[in-house]
């Protein structure tokens, strides 16, 4: 697995380079949108676009816009029974304690994305690594390509595994890039990360409580 600059990689471009203009607008119908609005993935341009609630709902319908725009789901799930451990983390070769894993359907690639001083770092995962680390994982089975990510965190030998909307991944790595200082990110970046995980913890529902969607 090799890391490569974000600009040449199979993830999404939005949030990696510049902040969106203010005020934000729905990129389909141009109505102004509030903070906390939904996003769509433009699978042709591999970009995240802002959406108002009606456009996000419309694009959730099968066949909408011939499948080009896909609404990022709002669900947050966690798997308290995950089997992520030290050896799995080593197999991923992620140099920091947080990573997002997702599947790019058009390119048929598995991608690991993580924060770094330079912004998001993306690397392609070998299918065998994915299987070794996530084989049998219920969250990996539920994961929607392009629009959702598995969020992994390692703190003091403890591991967490959540399924989250993909837009929050890009928002986090963008924020981390702005705050990052020194070798390990510094106090401000760590505080931002803790706030991010506190928010995720408030939103997630454990798999056991969730029916089969
Ligand atoms: Zn709209
Ligand atoms: Zn937006």
């Amino acid at each position: 697995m090799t890391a490569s600059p974000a600009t040449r990689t199979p993830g999404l471009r939005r949030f990696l380079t510049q902040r969106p203009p203010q005020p934000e607008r729905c990129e389909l119908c141009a109505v102004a949108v509030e903070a906390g609005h939904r996003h769509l993935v433009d699978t042709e341009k591999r970009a995240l676009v802002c959406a108002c609630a009606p456009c996000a709902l419309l694009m959730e319908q099968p066949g909408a816009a011939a499948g080009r725009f896909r609404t990022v789901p709002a669900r947050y799930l966690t798997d308290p029974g995950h089997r992520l451990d030290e050896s799995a983390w080593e197999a991923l070769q992620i140099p920091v304690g947080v990573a997002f894993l997702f599947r790019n359907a058009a390119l048929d690639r598995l991608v690991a994305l993580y924060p770094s001083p330079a912004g998001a770092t993306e690397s392609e995962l070998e299918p065998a690594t994915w299987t070794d680390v996530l084989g049998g994982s219920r969250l990996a089975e539920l994961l929607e390509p392009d629009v959702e990510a598995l969020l992994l965190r390692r703190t003091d030998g403890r591991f967490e595994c959540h399924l989250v909307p993909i837009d929050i991944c890009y928002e986090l790595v963008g924020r981390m890039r702005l705050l990052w200082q020194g070798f390990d990110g510094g106090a401000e970046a760590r505080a931002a990360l803790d706030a991010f995980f506190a928010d995720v913890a408030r939103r997630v529902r454990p798999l056991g409580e969730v029916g089969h969607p």
Side-chain angles (χ1 to χ4, degrees):
M1 191 177 81
T2 52
S4 48
T7 46
R8 305 205 325 263
T9 53
L12 300 170
R13 284 189 283 262
R14 185 64 181 273
F15 296 128
L16 294 185
T17 49
Q18 64 201 57
R19 299 178 71 75
Q22 303 293 333
E24 289 187 288
R25 296 194 168 273
C26 173
E27 291 174 57
L28 296 188
C29 73
V31 72
V33 291
E34 304 283 323
H37 56 267
R38 305 285 299 272
H39 290 103
L40 313 173
V41 170
D42 179 341
T43 54
E44 252 171 49
K45 293 188 174 167
R46 291 197 289 113
L48 276 172
V49 302
C50 300
C52 69
C55 286
L57 273 178
L58 185 68
M59 289 301 156
E60 274 173 350
Q61 308 309 312
R68 175 178 164 186
F69 293 102
R70 299 189 51 212
T71 300
V72 176
R75 65 180 178 172
Y76 287 69
L77 304 174
T78 192
D79 181 4
H82 73 76
R83 275 171 283 167
L84 201 63
D85 60 12
E86 206 67 54
S87 64
W89 194 268
E90 270 169 37
L92 290 172
Q93 296 184 279
I94 305 289
V96 292
V98 178
F100 301 98
L101 309 186
F102 61 93
R103 188 183 290 276
N104 181 313
L107 300 176
D108 193 23
R109 284 185 188 154
L110 304 163
V111 182
L113 170 88
Y114 51 90
S116 83
T121 301
E122 289 189 352
S123 48
E124 198 175 332
L125 286 177
E126 295 299 329
T129 307
W130 180 279
T131 306
D132 283 352
V133 175
L134 299 165
S137 155
R138 286 179 61 205
L139 288 184
E141 277 168 28
L142 293 170
L143 182 71
E144 291 268 351
D146 302 314
V147 291
E148 291 181 324
L150 296 177
L151 166 58
L152 311 183
R153 187 189 200 191
R154 174 182 186 269
T155 35
D156 303 325
R158 275 185 57 244
F159 295 88
E160 295 170 53
C161 184
H162 312 293
L163 183 152
V164 299
I166 200 157
D167 49 355
I168 71 162
C169 310
Y170 287 92
E171 286 163 11
L172 177 73
V173 293
R175 208 177 312 146
M176 295 288 284
R177 183 175 62 90
L178 295 177
L179 298 174
W180 198 289
Q181 286 187 325
F183 173 71
D184 65 348
E188 258 192 289
R190 278 199 303 276
L193 199 60
D194 286 343
F196 173 83
F197 276 98
D199 189 54
V200 168
R202 271 196 302 109
R203 294 168 187 264
V204 288
R205 294 168 63 204
L207 267 182
E209 293 177 11
V210 182
H212 290 284

